[in-house]
Each structure stands twice: as C-alpha cells, then as structure tokens.
Amino acid sequence: MANKVMIQHLFKKDGLYKTPDGKTLKIIVSEVWNLRCFEVDNGRMVGPMIKIHPESDLAKSLVEVN
C-alpha cells in the first residue's frame, strides 16, 4: 500500500502562503485532489478562486506566512 500524505496536515485551512512570485494565497479548502485558494491583497481576498493540485510544484513551493 502506497504512503498517502494527509494534505490537511500540510496546508492549514484559512492559512496564508507565499508563492515564489510573491503573491499571498489564502487556503479556503484543503482536499486530497486540490487546494482552493484566493489571492490576498491588502488583507482582502481578490480575483477568482485558484485551484492547485496539492502534489504540484507550485503547491510544494508555497511557504506559510506567520
């Protein structure tokens, strides 16, 4: 049986994460098949919802903002 990573343990719901290009994303839903998030600008969620596969290079590059 393959080891499955618990996505909920990697990404916190309502957590803020920086992308490599400097954008801040707020994770709204963290599921096995995708992360649903919005870009945050000046404390407000902006733009359309962004879906990121949790095993993608982008997801692996996200850095939590404290």
Side-chain angles (χ1 to χ4, degrees), residues 5-40:
V5 175
M6 290 298 295
I7 301 305
Q8 295 83 352
H9 296 170
L10 294 177
F11 301 99
K12 297 176 186 171
K13 181 181 179 291
D14 295 326
L16 297 175
Y17 295 84
K18 281 272 189 206
T19 65
D21 62 357
K23 294 180 183 178
T24 301
L25 301 178
K26 181 173 185 174
I27 306 265
I28 302 301
V29 177
S30 175
E31 297 175 320
V32 173
W33 50 87
N34 68 34
L35 303 171
R36 294 184 218 165
C37 35
F38 287 92
E39 184 177 350
V40 175

